[in-house]
Amino acid sequence: FLLRDPGLEDGRHLRPGDRNAVLLGYDYTKSSVFLEPIRVGDRITVNGAKFTVAGILEAQGNSIDDRVVWIPE
């Protein structure tokens, strides 16, 4: 887990009431996990549910935090 609230590389943090929004770790902007690099505003599917990328977190320097996916409850 993250010990501090990371900054954003792009976009915004999740807000109360956000639905179908997601924050992604920095590695998703460079990797092909979703078949091509992800940008703010892109639509992705996670476990069959569709989300809009609200923000990309700053690089943390480790593969666990840089591949995090934050989805509101």
Side-chain angles (χ1 to χ4, degrees):
F1 66 86
L2 298 172
L3 296 177
R4 63 177 181 83
D5 187 17
L8 293 171
E9 178 73 22
D10 194 15
R12 64 173 178 82
H13 283 284
L14 296 174
R15 298 177 185 146
D18 267 345
R19 292 185 183 258
N20 303 318
V22 64
L23 274 180
L24 296 177
Y26 182 79
D27 280 358
Y28 293 111
T29 66
K30 305 295 181 209
S31 74
S32 60
V33 172
F34 290 103
L35 302 179
E36 57 186 63
I38 299 296
R39 305 285 178 252
V40 169
D42 286 351
R43 302 267 301 154
I44 63 169
T45 302
V46 178
N47 292 332
K50 295 193 181 287
F51 296 92
T52 300
V53 178
I56 304 291
L57 299 169
E58 288 180 340
Q60 301 299 303
N62 69 72
S63 61
I64 294 171
D65 291 336
D66 287 340
R67 292 185 182 175
V68 69
V69 176
W70 288 358
I71 299 171
E73 294 182 47

